[in-house]
Structure formats: C-alpha cells, structure tokens
Amino acid sequence: MTTVAAIGTPHGKGGVAMVRVSGESAFEVASRVFAPSSPKKFSEFPHGVACYGSFTDKKGIFDDGICILFRAPHSFTGENICELYCHGGLLVTKRLLAACLASGAVMAGAGEFTRRAFINGKISLTQAEAIGGIIDSVSEKHLEISARQANGSLSRSLASIYDELKLLAASVYAYIDYPDEDMTDVSIEEMRERLSEIKSKLLRLSGSHTYGRAISEGVVTAIVGKPNTGKSSLLNSLCGEERAIVTDIAGTTRDVVTETVHLGDVILRLSDTAGIRESEDTVEKIGIERSIKAISDAALVLAVFDMSRPIDDDDKRLIESIFELGKESKTVCILNKSDIANEFCHKLPFERTVTVSALNNEGLDSLVETVSMMFGAGEIGENDEIVVNARQAAAVDKALSAVSSALDALDGFTQDIAGMDIELALAAIAEADGRSVSEDIVNEIFSHFCVGK
Ligand code: GDP
C-alpha cells in the first residue's frame, strides 16, 4: 500500500499540531523532513519514544519538534507510522505536510488511517465506528460507550454470539445428516434453549438502539402547537444555559441546521423545519400545515397547548393530525401556562401529558422524566452493550429475525430450515461486526471520518 500523510490535528492555531505518515516508506519520508538532534541514526530510533529534532524542507529548517516512530505491526494502522509534532500554526503545519508529500508520501483520504487499521485487521469495523463515535460524540454517555466499544466490547459480544451460532449450525447439520447416530454434542432440546438465549441477547442489543440513537444522533423532535401557546418559551427553558448548539456539518446526514437540547443523557434535535421559529409574516398562519411534515418526520412530538384558554378548533386540528399520522404514541402533550391556568382543565386524548409553565421553568422535570422513559436507558444496565450505530442495529435486527425463524423451524421439526436460518443469522452478525461487509459499505463508513483520522 502507498505511504500516506495527513494533518492529524484540527485545522487552526494551537500549541501543537501533528502530521501522521503511515505506510511502508513512512520512515524514509520522515527521515527526509526530520533531523534528530541526537547523533542516533533515524533507523535506530526506539519504538514509540519521542525524539526531539528539527523539521526541514528544501528551503531549510522551518521549525523544531518531536518525532515518534511506531514499527509495523505494532501501530494503529499495523503499518510503519511516523508522527511528527510541530508548533501548531496554520502555515508551519501545512509546510510540514507539504514536505512529507514532497518526500514520497501521498495525501491520505478521509478516514484513511482508520481504514488501514481495519484492513490490516488491527480493529474490527465496530471498533472503527466507535472511534468515529469518540470524535463525533457530544454527550458524555455517547463518549463513554464509544470509548468502551473502541476497545472492542461490542465486537467481543458479537463474536461470542457468532461462535455460539457457528457451533449450533454445525450441530444442526450433523443432526440432519446422521439423525440416528449420536453425532452431535447438542440435542435438539438444548439447541432450542441455546437459540432462545441468543435470541434474548439479540433482543437486548436491538432494544438498546433507541437509547443508543438518542444519546448519539439525538431524537428528531418537533415542537408543535398553534401560535402563542409557548413553543419558543418551552425551547428556551429546555435549552437553559446551553441554548442551541448549532451543528452544520457539511456532507453528513446531519446536514440540517439543528437546535440541540440535552435532557439528561438524551439529546433532542429540534430541526429548523419544526416551526419553532415563526417569523412575523407566518405568525398569523395557524402553522398546522407546516407542522404536518415536522410531525411525520419526528420521533418525538412535543404538542403544546395553552392551559389558560379553552381548546379551540386549531388545537383540535393539531390533535387530529397527530392521530392521523399515527404519532400519538410518540407524542407528549404539554399543557403550558400552568401559572395562569384557570377553569379550563384540559383532558386531551394522549397517553402522556405533562403540565408546565415554560415562563417560570416549572414542571420541566416531569417532561425530562417522560422523555427519559421514552428514550432513556430504561432496563439497560451500566455495563450492558448499547448499539449506537444504525448500520449495526439493522444487522442485529436481521440476525434477530433469522434466529426467531430458526426457533420456529425447530419447533416444526424442520431442522434443515433451522440450519439455513442459523446461517443467515451468522451472516448478519458477520455484517454487524464487519467481517463480511461490501467494499461500498466500508467506503461509505470511512467517508464520514475526517482527513487525518
Ligand atoms: P409560541 O408562539 O408558541 O412560540 O409562543 P411564545 O413562546 O412566543 O409565547 C407566547 C406568549 O406566551 C409570550 O408572551 C410568552 O411570554 C407567554 N408564555 C409562554 N409560556 C408561558 C407560561 O408558562 N406562562 C405564562 N403566563 N405565559 C407564557
């Protein structure tokens, strides 16, 4: 593979910046741009130890700094790696990179280093994705889970399910081929039990994704209600001091300007389309039509009603829309303005209702509690695996449905079908873990990484 180089630190001014070079000729490249201050030869540098020296290109010395060598296969990518640390100026960092490129390295693509780590078998795809999670995480919980999974915790869980399934597949086929002989260690009864256990594990993993998504990508949320019910006030109260982190990351699925609110571990993403910013000219409009799209796109609908006024046709129309769109189970009915509520004691047909005063920040705790009940950790324990990533979740679901079919097949005494289902489950687990994913998917995953990672 070619030798690649990229700036590994963020673009901007800082104390230190790092250029990473990886590939067979990484040391030659580094030896052309870095002159150690010690009399030791470059090739004698110890593994993983910082050496001081100066950086140079054809115009001469332009900075001093540190070089660390990692010899293959004991490096992040599994290849020879050289990390060069210069002062963190924009120009000096670019010049160091240019010097590396002029010395035989080619520019690394997005996620190239992590991709090489994956291709060289240093990390699994779930670990690579978890590294992406560490970089992207905006909640403590997401960071904690990503760090654990970058260490291979989810890969190990999936691998143990894979191994168990493999054993059961072998047994089921032995049973089919030699039904009268005692060729297998696993009786059909035991197989059923083991498959049920695997099914429970997969059910737990699959169920954890609602929470996993809520702490990583966030829950797409629509705040809806007719004008003046207090939607903006509610948003302000929810944001508190943390008002609106605006994420505008080009080229990712998050390519919409979004207000992000943290409620406990759960992140709510209130998209611009949610009708929360009614401009002067639209304020007169009832806004229901506009809200319809927001409601249909949302995983959580916060439907706001004014407790100080009777429910009117506009409110009723909103309620109808929510039911027509089948979003009632995703809706929290918010009865706002409890501080000036009067005889209008609204009984609206929602499963979940909270009474708040957005103006006085009252009742928000019960809103947080309700949202946590819908999207929070629930039964998930501190150390349980959580599937954060949508690709992994889809593969786990595939495995789950295959295992369920295998169990049904065993009950119907059609072991050959059970064997095929177990094989499907194996393929799905292999996909979740990245043992067998197509190159397109691998490319897609790494294209979301930044250059230099
Ligand atoms: P929106 O049009 O739904 O976004 O409503 P706003 O948040 O702009 O609020 C409309 C009006 O209701 C403003 O004058 C707010 O100060 C007021 N308001 C909002 N929430 C409350 C509340 O909990 N109690 C009281 N008394 N007034 C509120």
Side-chain angles (χ1 to χ4, degrees):
M1 256 193 270
T2 50
T3 295
V4 289
I7 299 170
T9 38
H11 186 72
K13 269 206 271 187
V16 174
M18 185 263 280
V19 172
R20 184 187 274 145
V21 188
S22 179
E24 214 175 317
S25 50
F27 298 163
E28 285 91 85
V29 170
S31 69
R32 286 180 202 131
V33 302
F34 181 76
S37 60
S38 85
K40 238 188 211 154
K41 273 204 230 135
F42 199 86
S43 57
E44 291 163 1
F45 275 21
H47 174 91
V49 174
C51 302
Y52 177 72
S54 51
F55 295 113
T56 171
D57 60 11
K58 62 179 186 306
K59 288 190 206 149
I61 291 176
F62 58 88
D63 195 12
D64 60 342
I66 278 167
C67 167
I68 307 178
L69 299 190
F70 300 93
R71 290 193 166 76
H74 306 291
S75 72
F76 176 61
T77 56
E79 304 169 337
N80 284 337
I81 283 189
C82 209
E83 287 184 357
L84 304 163
Y85 295 82
C86 62
H87 288 104
L90 280 171
L91 194 65
V92 66
T93 315
K94 269 195 191 162
R95 194 157 159 190
L96 179 53
L97 174 64
C100 292
L101 298 179
S103 305
V106 298
M107 188 64 204
E112 181 79 36
F113 297 98
T114 319
R115 176 207 290 268
R116 286 178 178 218
F118 167 65
I119 288 170
N120 294 329
K122 296 294 285 187
I123 54 172
S124 70
L125 203 60
T126 49
Q127 284 175 288
E129 285 169 322
I131 291 170
I134 291 178
I135 295 170
D136 285 341
S137 59
V138 288
S139 75
E140 287 294 337
K141 197 71 196 173
H142 185 200
L143 177 58
E144 182 191 316
I145 291 166
S146 302
R148 216 161 61 195
Q149 295 185 352
N151 255 321
S153 65
L154 182 59
S155 302
R156 283 190 291 276
S157 297
L158 292 171
S160 91
I161 293 177
Y162 187 89
D163 291 344
E164 276 182 63
L165 282 169
K166 210 162 64 177
L167 199 137
L168 293 181
S171 293
V172 94
Y173 286 128
Y175 201 89
I176 294 164
D177 291 342
Y178 308 100
D180 300 327
E181 291 168 48
D182 195 12
M183 290 294 291
T184 93
D185 314 333
V186 188
S187 68
I188 287 290
E189 202 36 59
E190 202 179 335
M191 194 171 302
R192 205 173 276 136
E193 255 171 53
R194 292 214 203 162
L195 274 177
S196 301
E197 270 170 37
I198 294 175
K199 185 177 169 181
S200 322
K201 284 185 195 165
L202 289 170
L203 264 173
R204 266 202 303 276
L205 281 177
S206 167
S208 72
H209 183 54
T210 305
Y211 178 56
R213 201 170 39 193
I215 56 164
S216 54
E217 280 175 34
V219 180
V220 176
T221 305
I223 301 188
V224 290
K226 66 182 185 198
N228 280 323
T229 48
K231 299 182 294 298
S232 314
S233 310
L234 180 70
L235 176 63
N236 282 331
S237 317
L238 289 177
C239 291
E241 294 297 308
E242 281 191 59
R243 165 108 202 153
I245 302 168
V246 175
T247 52
D248 187 4
I249 307 166
T252 69
T253 45
R254 302 172 192 190
D255 199 10
V256 270
V257 177
T258 306
E259 310 256 20
T260 308
V261 175
H262 289 241
L263 293 191
D265 289 341
V266 173
I267 301 167
L268 300 190
R269 290 174 54 209
L270 299 137
S271 86
D272 241 1
T273 54
I276 49 175
R277 289 183 186 154
E278 277 157 300
S279 62
E280 288 297 306
D281 52 343
T282 56
V283 88
E284 295 302 316
K285 291 193 193 159
I286 298 153
I288 299 243
E289 288 77 13
R290 251 176 350 121
S291 302
I292 297 236
K293 178 157 189 332
I295 295 170
S296 29
D297 291 347
L300 170 66
V301 179
L302 303 179
V304 187
F305 301 91
D306 184 341
M307 283 183 91
S308 69
R309 290 169 188 278
I311 290 294
D312 65 12
D313 286 347
D314 293 337
D315 293 313
K316 285 185 191 149
R317 233 180 300 165
L318 173 64
I319 297 169
E320 274 165 23
S321 308
I322 290 171
F323 275 81
E324 272 164 22
L325 293 166
K327 291 283 181 171
E328 65 276 18
S329 64
K330 301 286 174 205
T331 300
V332 180
C333 165
I334 296 180
L335 302 179
N336 188 31
K337 309 197 186 181
S338 60
D339 52 309
I340 51 167
N342 46 26
E343 74 276 15
F344 309 114
C345 172
H346 301 319
K347 285 245 176 320
L348 301 180
F350 293 105
E351 206 181 304
R352 299 182 186 84
T353 298
V354 293
T355 303
V356 306
S357 166
L359 198 66
N360 301 332
N361 284 332
E362 280 165 17
L364 296 178
D365 290 352
S366 45
L367 176 56
V368 174
E369 214 171 280
T370 305
V371 170
S372 296
M373 267 164 48
M374 295 168 81
F375 297 95
E379 307 276 291
I380 301 168
E382 258 305 291
N383 296 315
D384 287 350
E385 270 327 315
I386 292 160
V387 178
V388 171
N389 181 286
R391 188 194 66 77
Q392 292 160 11
V396 165
D397 285 346
K398 239 195 256 176
L400 175 60
S401 92
V403 168
S404 304
S405 306
L407 273 167
D408 292 345
L410 278 186
D411 284 342
F413 298 102
T414 41
Q415 282 103 14
D416 48 344
I417 307 273
M420 283 187 319
D421 284 328
I422 294 174
E423 280 191 40
L424 285 178
L426 272 167
I429 295 290
E431 194 185 315
D433 195 25
R435 291 172 206 226
S436 67
V437 283
S438 70
E439 200 178 332
D440 284 354
I441 292 177
V442 172
N443 288 342
E444 164 66 17
I445 290 167
F446 288 105
S447 69
H448 290 285
F449 278 66
C450 40
V451 173
K453 186 57 229 155

